[in-house]
Coordinates of all heavy atoms in Angstrom, one line a residue:
R1 N 122.8 85.4 49.7 CA 122.5 84.4 50.7 C 122.1 85.1 52.0 O 121.2 84.6 52.7 CB 123.7 83.6 51.0 CG 124.1 82.6 50.0 CD 125.2 81.8 50.5 NE 125.5 80.7 49.6 CZ 126.4 79.8 49.8 NH1 127.1 79.8 50.9 NH2 126.6 78.8 48.9
I2 N 122.7 86.2 52.4 CA 122.4 86.9 53.6 C 120.9 87.4 53.7 O 120.3 87.1 54.7 CB 123.4 88.0 53.9 CG1 124.8 87.4 54.2 CG2 122.9 88.9 55.1 CD1 125.9 88.4 54.3
P3 N 120.4 88.0 52.6 CA 119.0 88.4 52.6 C 118.1 87.2 52.8 O 117.1 87.2 53.5 CB 118.8 89.1 51.3 CG 120.1 89.6 50.9 CD 121.1 88.6 51.4
L4 N 118.4 86.1 52.1 CA 117.5 84.9 52.2 C 117.6 84.3 53.6 O 116.5 84.0 54.2 CB 118.0 83.8 51.2 CG 117.2 82.5 51.2 CD1 115.8 82.8 50.8 CD2 117.9 81.5 50.3
L5 N 118.7 84.3 54.2 CA 118.9 83.8 55.6 C 118.1 84.7 56.6 O 117.4 84.3 57.4 CB 120.3 83.7 56.0 CG 120.6 83.3 57.4 CD1 120.1 81.8 57.6 CD2 122.1 83.4 57.8
S6 N 118.2 86.0 56.4 CA 117.5 87.0 57.2 C 116.0 86.8 57.1 O 115.3 86.8 58.2 CB 117.9 88.4 56.8 OG 119.3 88.6 57.0
V7 N 115.5 86.7 55.9 CA 114.1 86.5 55.8 C 113.6 85.2 56.3 O 112.5 85.1 56.9 CB 113.7 86.7 54.3 CG1 112.3 86.3 54.0 CG2 113.9 88.1 53.8
S8 N 114.4 84.1 56.2 CA 114.0 82.8 56.7 C 114.0 82.8 58.2 O 113.2 82.0 58.8 CB 114.8 81.7 56.1 OG 116.2 81.8 56.6
C9 N 114.8 83.6 58.9 CA 114.9 83.6 60.3 C 113.8 84.6 61.0 O 113.5 84.5 62.1 CB 116.3 84.0 60.8 SG 117.5 82.8 60.5
L10 N 113.3 85.4 60.2 CA 112.4 86.5 60.7 C 111.2 85.9 61.4 O 110.8 86.4 62.5 CB 112.0 87.4 59.5 CG 111.3 88.7 59.9 CD1 112.4 89.6 60.4 CD2 110.6 89.3 58.8
P11 N 110.4 84.9 60.8 CA 109.2 84.4 61.6 C 109.6 83.8 62.9 O 108.9 84.1 63.9 CB 108.7 83.4 60.7 CG 109.2 83.6 59.3 CD 110.5 84.3 59.5
A12 N 110.6 83.1 63.0 CA 111.0 82.5 64.3 C 111.4 83.5 65.3 O 111.1 83.5 66.5 CB 112.1 81.4 64.1
A13 N 112.2 84.5 64.8 CA 112.7 85.6 65.7 C 111.5 86.4 66.2 O 111.5 86.8 67.4 CB 113.7 86.4 65.0
F14 N 110.5 86.7 65.3 CA 109.4 87.4 65.7 C 108.6 86.7 66.8 O 108.2 87.3 67.8 CB 108.5 87.7 64.5 CG 107.2 88.4 64.8 CD1 107.3 89.8 65.1 CD2 106.0 87.8 64.9 CE1 106.1 90.5 65.4 CE2 104.8 88.4 65.2 CZ 104.9 89.8 65.5
L15 N 108.3 85.4 66.6 CA 107.6 84.6 67.6 C 108.3 84.5 68.9 O 107.7 84.5 70.0 CB 107.2 83.3 67.0 CG 106.2 83.3 65.8 CD1 106.0 81.9 65.2 CD2 104.9 83.9 66.3
M16 N 109.6 84.3 68.9 CA 110.4 84.2 70.1 C 110.4 85.5 70.9 O 110.7 85.5 72.1 CB 111.8 83.7 69.8 CG 111.8 82.2 69.5 SD 113.4 81.5 69.3 CE 114.1 82.3 67.9
G17 N 110.2 86.6 70.2 CA 110.3 87.9 70.8 C 109.0 88.4 71.4 O 109.0 89.4 72.2
I18 N 107.9 87.7 71.2 CA 106.6 88.1 71.7 C 106.4 87.8 73.2 O 105.9 88.7 73.9 CB 105.5 87.4 70.9 CG1 105.4 88.0 69.5 CG2 104.1 87.6 71.5 CD1 104.5 87.4 68.5
P19 N 106.8 86.7 73.7 CA 106.4 86.4 75.1 C 106.9 87.4 76.2 O 106.1 87.7 77.1 CB 107.1 85.0 75.4 CG 107.2 84.4 74.0 CD 107.5 85.5 73.1
F20 N 108.1 87.9 76.1 CA 108.6 88.8 77.1 C 107.8 90.2 77.2 O 107.4 90.6 78.2 CB 110.1 89.1 77.0 CG 110.6 90.0 78.1 CD1 110.7 89.5 79.4 CD2 111.0 91.3 77.9 CE1 111.1 90.3 80.5 CE2 111.5 92.1 78.9 CZ 111.5 91.6 80.2
P21 N 107.6 90.8 76.0 CA 106.8 92.1 76.1 C 105.4 91.8 76.6 O 104.8 92.6 77.4 CB 106.8 92.6 74.7 CG 107.9 92.0 74.1 CD 108.2 90.7 74.7
L22 N 104.8 90.7 76.2 CA 103.4 90.4 76.7 C 103.5 90.1 78.2 O 102.6 90.6 79.0 CB 102.8 89.2 76.0 CG 102.5 89.5 74.5 CD1 102.0 88.1 73.9 CD2 101.4 90.5 74.4
G23 N 104.4 89.4 78.7 CA 104.6 89.1 80.1 C 104.9 90.3 80.9 O 104.3 90.5 82.0
L24 N 105.7 91.2 80.4 CA 106.0 92.5 81.0 C 104.8 93.3 81.2 O 104.5 94.0 82.2 CB 107.1 93.2 80.3 CG 107.8 94.3 81.0 CD1 108.5 93.7 82.3 CD2 108.9 94.9 80.1
R25 N 103.9 93.4 80.1 CA 102.7 94.1 80.2 C 101.8 93.5 81.3 O 101.1 94.3 82.0 CB 102.0 94.1 78.8 CG 100.7 95.0 78.8 CD 100.1 95.0 77.5 NE 101.0 95.6 76.5 CZ 100.9 95.3 75.2 NH1 100.1 94.4 74.8 NH2 101.7 95.9 74.4
A26 N 101.7 92.2 81.3 CA 100.9 91.6 82.4 C 101.4 91.9 83.8 O 100.6 92.1 84.7 CB 100.8 90.1 82.1
V27 N 102.7 91.8 84.0 CA 103.2 92.1 85.3 C 103.0 93.6 85.6 O 102.6 93.9 86.8 CB 104.8 91.8 85.3 CG1 105.4 92.4 86.5 CG2 105.0 90.3 85.2
A28 N 103.2 94.5 84.7 CA 103.0 95.9 85.0 C 101.5 96.2 85.3 O 101.2 97.1 86.1 CB 103.4 96.8 83.8
G29 N 100.6 95.4 84.7 CA 99.2 95.6 84.9 C 98.8 95.2 86.3 O 97.9 95.7 86.9
N30 N 99.4 94.1 86.8 CA 99.1 93.6 88.1 C 99.8 94.4 89.2 O 99.2 94.8 90.2 CB 99.4 92.1 88.2 CG 98.6 91.3 87.3 OD1 97.5 91.7 87.0 ND2 99.1 90.1 86.9
R31 N 101.1 94.4 89.1 CA 101.9 95.2 90.2 C 103.1 95.8 89.5 O 104.0 95.0 89.0 CB 102.4 94.2 91.2 CG 101.5 94.0 92.3 CD 102.1 93.2 93.5 NE 103.3 92.5 93.0 CZ 104.0 91.6 93.8 NH1 103.5 91.4 95.0 NH2 105.0 91.0 93.3
E32 N 103.2 97.0 89.4 CA 104.3 97.7 88.7 C 105.6 97.4 89.4 O 106.7 97.5 88.8 CB 104.0 99.2 88.6 CG 104.8 99.8 87.4 CD 104.2 101.1 87.1 OE1 103.0 101.2 86.8 OE2 105.0 102.0 87.0
S33 N 105.6 97.1 90.7 CA 106.9 96.8 91.4 C 107.5 95.5 90.9 O 108.7 95.2 91.2 CB 106.6 96.7 92.9 OG 105.8 95.7 93.2
G34 N 106.8 94.7 90.2 CA 107.3 93.4 89.7 C 108.1 93.6 88.4 O 108.8 92.7 88.0
V35 N 108.0 94.8 87.7 CA 108.7 95.0 86.5 C 110.2 94.9 86.6 O 110.9 94.2 85.8 CB 108.3 96.3 85.9 CG1 109.2 96.7 84.6 CG2 106.8 96.3 85.5
P36 N 110.9 95.5 87.6 CA 112.3 95.3 87.8 C 112.7 93.8 88.0 O 113.7 93.3 87.5 CB 112.7 96.1 89.0 CG 111.6 97.2 89.1 CD 110.4 96.5 88.6
W37 N 111.8 93.1 88.7 CA 112.1 91.7 89.0 C 112.0 90.9 87.6 O 112.8 90.0 87.4 CB 111.1 91.1 90.0 CG 111.5 91.4 91.4 CD1 111.0 92.3 92.2 CD2 112.5 90.7 92.1 NE1 111.6 92.3 93.4 CE2 112.6 91.3 93.4 CE3 113.4 89.7 91.8 CZ2 113.5 90.9 94.4 CZ3 114.3 89.3 92.8 CH2 114.3 89.9 94.1
A38 N 111.1 91.2 86.8 CA 110.9 90.6 85.5 C 112.2 90.8 84.7 O 112.7 89.9 84.0 CB 109.7 91.1 84.8
W39 N 112.7 92.0 84.7 CA 114.0 92.3 83.9 C 115.1 91.5 84.5 O 116.0 91.0 83.8 CB 114.3 93.8 83.9 CG 113.5 94.5 82.9 CD1 112.4 95.3 83.1 CD2 113.7 94.5 81.5 NE1 111.9 95.8 81.9 CE2 112.8 95.3 80.9 CE3 114.7 93.9 80.7 CZ2 112.7 95.5 79.5 CZ3 114.6 94.1 79.3 CH2 113.7 94.9 78.7
A40 N 115.2 91.5 85.9 CA 116.3 90.7 86.5 C 116.2 89.2 86.2 O 117.3 88.6 85.9 CB 116.2 90.9 88.0
I41 N 115.0 88.7 86.2 CA 114.9 87.2 86.0 C 115.2 86.9 84.5 O 115.9 85.9 84.2 CB 113.5 86.8 86.3 CG1 113.3 86.8 87.9 CG2 113.2 85.4 85.8 CD1 111.9 86.7 88.3
T42 N 114.8 87.8 83.6 CA 115.1 87.5 82.2 C 116.6 87.6 81.9 O 117.2 86.9 81.1 CB 114.3 88.3 81.2 OG1 114.4 87.8 79.9 CG2 114.7 89.8 81.2
G43 N 117.3 88.6 82.6 CA 118.7 88.7 82.4 C 119.4 87.5 83.0 O 120.4 87.0 82.3
Y44 N 119.0 87.1 84.1 CA 119.7 85.9 84.8 C 119.5 84.6 83.9 O 120.4 83.9 83.6 CB 119.1 85.7 86.2 CG 119.6 84.4 86.8 CD1 120.8 84.3 87.4 CD2 118.8 83.3 86.8 CE1 121.2 83.2 88.0 CE2 119.2 82.1 87.4 CZ 120.4 82.1 88.0 OH 120.9 80.9 88.6
T45 N 118.3 84.4 83.5 CA 118.0 83.2 82.7 C 118.6 83.2 81.3 O 119.0 82.2 80.8 CB 116.5 82.9 82.6 OG1 115.8 84.1 82.0 CG2 115.9 82.6 83.9
S46 N 118.8 84.4 80.8 CA 119.5 84.5 79.5 C 121.0 84.1 79.6 O 121.5 83.4 78.8 CB 119.5 86.0 79.0 OG 118.2 86.4 78.7
V47 N 121.6 84.5 80.7 CA 123.0 84.2 80.9 C 123.2 82.7 81.2 O 124.0 81.9 80.6 CB 123.7 85.0 82.0 CG1 125.0 84.5 82.4 CG2 123.7 86.5 81.6
V48 N 122.4 82.2 82.2 CA 122.4 80.8 82.6 C 122.0 79.9 81.4 O 122.6 78.9 81.1 CB 121.6 80.5 83.8 CG1 121.5 79.1 84.1 CG2 122.2 81.3 85.0
G49 N 120.9 80.3 80.7 CA 120.4 79.5 79.6 C 121.4 79.3 78.5 O 121.5 78.2 77.9
S50 N 122.1 80.4 78.1 CA 123.0 80.3 77.0 C 124.2 79.5 77.4 O 124.8 78.7 76.6 CB 123.5 81.7 76.6 OG 124.1 82.4 77.6
S51 N 124.6 79.5 78.7 CA 125.7 78.7 79.1 C 125.3 77.2 79.1 O 126.1 76.4 78.6 CB 126.2 79.1 80.5 OG 126.6 80.4 80.6
L52 N 124.1 76.9 79.6 CA 123.7 75.6 79.6 C 123.4 75.0 78.2 O 123.6 73.8 78.0 CB 122.4 75.4 80.5 CG 122.6 75.6 82.0 CD1 121.3 75.6 82.7 CD2 123.6 74.6 82.5
A53 N 123.0 75.9 77.3 CA 122.7 75.5 75.9 C 124.0 75.0 75.3 O 124.1 74.0 74.6 CB 122.1 76.6 75.1
G54 N 125.1 75.7 75.6 CA 126.4 75.3 75.1 C 126.8 73.9 75.6 O 127.3 73.1 74.8
V55 N 126.6 73.7 76.9 CA 127.0 72.5 77.5 C 126.1 71.3 76.9 O 126.6 70.3 76.6 CB 126.9 72.5 79.0 CG1 127.0 71.2 79.7 CG2 127.9 73.5 79.6
L56 N 124.8 71.6 76.8 CA 123.9 70.6 76.3 C 124.2 70.2 74.9 O 124.1 69.1 74.5 CB 122.4 71.1 76.5 CG 121.4 70.1 76.1 CD1 121.4 68.9 77.0 CD2 120.0 70.8 76.1
A57 N 124.5 71.2 74.1 CA 124.8 71.0 72.7 C 126.1 70.1 72.5 O 126.1 69.2 71.7 CB 125.1 72.3 71.9
V58 N 127.1 70.3 73.4 CA 128.3 69.5 73.3 C 128.0 68.1 73.8 O 128.5 67.1 73.2 CB 129.4 70.2 74.1 CG1 130.6 69.3 74.2 CG2 129.8 71.5 73.4
T59 N 127.3 68.0 74.9 CA 127.1 66.7 75.5 C 126.0 65.8 74.9 O 126.1 64.6 74.8 CB 126.8 66.8 77.0 OG1 125.7 67.6 77.2 CG2 128.0 67.4 77.8
Q60 N 124.9 66.5 74.5 CA 123.8 65.7 74.0 C 123.5 65.9 72.5 O 122.7 65.2 71.9 CB 122.5 66.1 74.8 CG 122.6 65.9 76.3 CD 122.8 64.4 76.6 OE1 122.2 63.5 76.1 NE2 123.7 64.2 77.6
G61 N 124.0 67.0 71.9 CA 123.9 67.2 70.5 C 122.8 68.3 70.3 O 122.0 68.7 71.2
F62 N 122.9 68.9 69.1 CA 122.0 70.0 68.7 C 120.5 69.6 68.6 O 119.7 70.4 68.8 CB 122.5 70.6 67.4 CG 123.7 71.4 67.6 CD1 124.9 71.0 67.1 CD2 123.7 72.6 68.3 CE1 126.1 71.7 67.3 CE2 124.9 73.4 68.5 CZ 126.1 72.9 68.0
V63 N 120.3 68.3 68.2 CA 118.9 67.9 68.1 C 118.2 67.9 69.5 O 117.1 68.4 69.7 CB 118.8 66.5 67.5 CG1 117.4 66.0 67.5 CG2 119.3 66.5 66.1
A64 N 118.9 67.5 70.5 CA 118.4 67.5 71.9 C 118.2 68.9 72.3 O 117.2 69.2 73.0 CB 119.3 66.8 72.9
L65 N 119.1 69.8 72.0 CA 119.0 71.2 72.4 C 117.8 71.8 71.7 O 117.0 72.6 72.3 CB 120.2 72.0 72.0 CG 120.3 73.4 72.3 CD1 120.2 73.7 73.8 CD2 121.6 74.0 71.8
L66 N 117.6 71.6 70.4 CA 116.4 72.1 69.7 C 115.1 71.6 70.2 O 114.2 72.3 70.4 CB 116.6 71.7 68.2 CG 115.5 72.2 67.3 CD1 115.4 73.7 67.2 CD2 115.6 71.7 65.9
L67 N 115.1 70.3 70.5 CA 113.9 69.7 71.1 C 113.6 70.3 72.5 O 112.4 70.6 72.8 CB 114.0 68.2 71.2 CG 114.0 67.4 69.9 CD1 114.3 65.9 70.1 CD2 112.7 67.6 69.1
L68 N 114.6 70.5 73.3 CA 114.4 71.1 74.6 C 113.8 72.6 74.4 O 112.9 73.0 75.2 CB 115.6 71.1 75.4 CG 115.5 71.8 76.8 CD1 114.6 71.0 77.7 CD2 116.9 71.8 77.4
G69 N 114.3 73.3 73.5 CA 113.9 74.6 73.2 C 112.4 74.6 72.8 O 111.6 75.4 73.2
I70 N 112.0 73.7 71.9 CA 110.7 73.6 71.4 C 109.7 73.3 72.6 O 108.7 73.9 72.8 CB 110.5 72.6 70.3 CG1 111.2 73.1 69.0 CG2 109.1 72.2 70.0 CD1 111.4 72.1 68.0
V71 N 110.1 72.3 73.4 CA 109.3 71.9 74.5 C 109.2 73.0 75.5 O 108.1 73.3 76.1 CB 109.9 70.6 75.2 CG1 109.2 70.3 76.5 CG2 109.7 69.4 74.3
S72 N 110.2 73.8 75.7 CA 110.2 74.9 76.7 C 109.2 76.0 76.2 O 108.4 76.5 77.0 CB 111.6 75.5 76.8 OG 112.5 74.6 77.4
Y73 N 109.3 76.3 75.0 CA 108.4 77.3 74.5 C 106.9 76.9 74.5 O 106.0 77.6 74.8 CB 108.8 77.8 73.1 CG 109.7 78.9 73.1 CD1 111.1 78.7 73.0 CD2 109.3 80.2 73.2 CE1 112.0 79.8 73.0 CE2 110.1 81.3 73.2 CZ 111.5 81.1 73.1 OH 112.4 82.1 73.2
L74 N 106.7 75.6 74.1 CA 105.3 75.1 74.2 C 104.8 75.0 75.6 O 103.6 75.4 75.9 CB 105.3 73.7 73.5 CG 105.4 73.6 72.0 CD1 105.5 72.2 71.5 CD2 104.4 74.4 71.3
L75 N 105.6 74.6 76.5 CA 105.2 74.5 77.9 C 104.9 75.9 78.5 O 103.9 76.1 79.2 CB 106.3 73.9 78.8 CG 106.0 73.6 80.2 CD1 104.8 72.6 80.3 CD2 107.2 72.9 80.9
A76 N 105.8 76.9 78.2 CA 105.5 78.3 78.6 C 104.3 78.8 78.0 O 103.5 79.5 78.6 CB 106.7 79.1 78.2
G77 N 104.0 78.4 76.7 CA 102.8 78.9 76.1 C 101.5 78.3 76.7 O 100.5 79.0 76.9
L78 N 101.6 77.0 77.1 CA 100.5 76.4 77.8 C 100.3 77.0 79.2 O 99.2 77.2 79.6 CB 100.7 74.9 77.9 CG 100.6 74.1 76.6 CD1 101.0 72.7 76.9 CD2 99.2 74.2 76.1
I79 N 101.4 77.2 79.9 CA 101.3 77.7 81.3 C 100.8 79.2 81.3 O 99.9 79.5 82.1 CB 102.6 77.6 82.0 CG1 103.0 76.2 82.3 CG2 102.6 78.4 83.3 CD1 104.4 75.9 82.8
F80 N 101.3 80.0 80.5 CA 101.0 81.4 80.5 C 100.1 81.9 79.4 O 99.6 83.0 79.5 CB 102.3 82.2 80.4 CG 103.2 82.0 81.6 CD1 104.4 81.3 81.4 CD2 102.9 82.4 82.9 CE1 105.2 81.0 82.5 CE2 103.7 82.2 83.9 CZ 104.9 81.5 83.8
G81 N 99.7 81.0 78.5 CA 98.8 81.4 77.4 C 97.5 81.8 77.9 O 96.9 82.8 77.4
S82 N 96.9 81.2 78.9 CA 95.6 81.5 79.4 C 95.6 82.9 80.0 O 94.6 83.6 80.0 CB 95.1 80.5 80.4 OG 95.9 80.4 81.5
T83 N 96.8 83.3 80.6 CA 96.9 84.6 81.2 C 96.7 85.7 80.1 O 96.0 86.7 80.4 CB 98.3 84.8 81.8 OG1 98.5 83.8 82.8 CG2 98.4 86.2 82.5
F84 N 97.2 85.5 79.0 CA 97.2 86.5 77.9 C 95.9 86.5 77.1 O 95.4 87.5 76.6 CB 98.4 86.4 77.0 CG 99.7 86.5 77.7 CD1 100.6 85.5 77.7 CD2 100.0 87.7 78.5 CE1 101.8 85.6 78.4 CE2 101.1 87.8 79.2 CZ 102.1 86.7 79.1
V85 N 95.2 85.3 77.1 CA 94.0 85.2 76.4 C 92.9 85.9 77.1 O 92.0 86.5 76.5 CB 93.6 83.7 76.2 CG1 92.2 83.5 75.6 CG2 94.7 83.0 75.2
N86 N 92.9 85.8 78.4 CA 91.9 86.4 79.3 C 92.0 88.0 79.4 O 91.1 88.6 79.9 CB 91.9 85.8 80.7 CG 91.6 84.4 80.7 OD1 90.8 83.9 79.8 ND2 92.1 83.6 81.6
R87 N 93.1 88.5 78.9 CA 93.2 90.0 78.9 C 92.5 90.7 77.8 O 92.4 90.5 76.8 CB 94.7 90.4 79.0 CG 95.3 90.0 80.3 CD 96.6 90.7 80.5 NE 97.0 90.4 81.8 CZ 96.9 91.3 82.8 NH1 96.4 92.5 82.5 NH2 97.3 91.1 84.0

């Protein structure tokens, strides 16, 4: 079961891992002084996001949490997608 679960999670994990390195490369290309800020922001949002995800899952349910995650990634892709396409 574990190998099957690992293989089934691989595509989603790969796709969720792409935005930060691409964004970090874009920030470093524009202003290298923004790289520490990018790391700070991602650390902050990871802590706050995981805490809020727990609260949202308990109060609204996992379906609402999943839908919010999907909408968040799609919105981020629309907002920042053109930045990476033009590079």
Side-chain angles (χ1 to χ4, degrees):
R1 287 183 175 187
I2 293 175
L4 180 63
L5 179 64
S6 298
V7 170
S8 66
C9 290
L10 196 75
F14 178 75
L15 291 174
M16 287 188 290
I18 289 175
F20 183 69
L22 289 177
L24 197 58
R25 183 180 298 152
V27 168
N30 293 335
R31 272 191 340 188
E32 205 163 305
S33 64
V35 173
W37 279 102
W39 278 103
I41 291 169
T42 195
Y44 173 80
T45 55
S46 294
V47 171
V48 172
S50 61
S51 300
L52 290 177
V55 171
L56 184 65
V58 170
T59 59
Q60 303 299 317
F62 287 107
V63 174
L65 181 61
L66 181 63
L67 290 175
L68 180 63
I70 291 169
V71 168
S72 297
Y73 270 95
L74 290 175
L75 187 61
L78 289 173
I79 291 171
F80 298 109
S82 62
T83 302
F84 303 120
V85 171
N86 293 333
R87 288 194 171 259

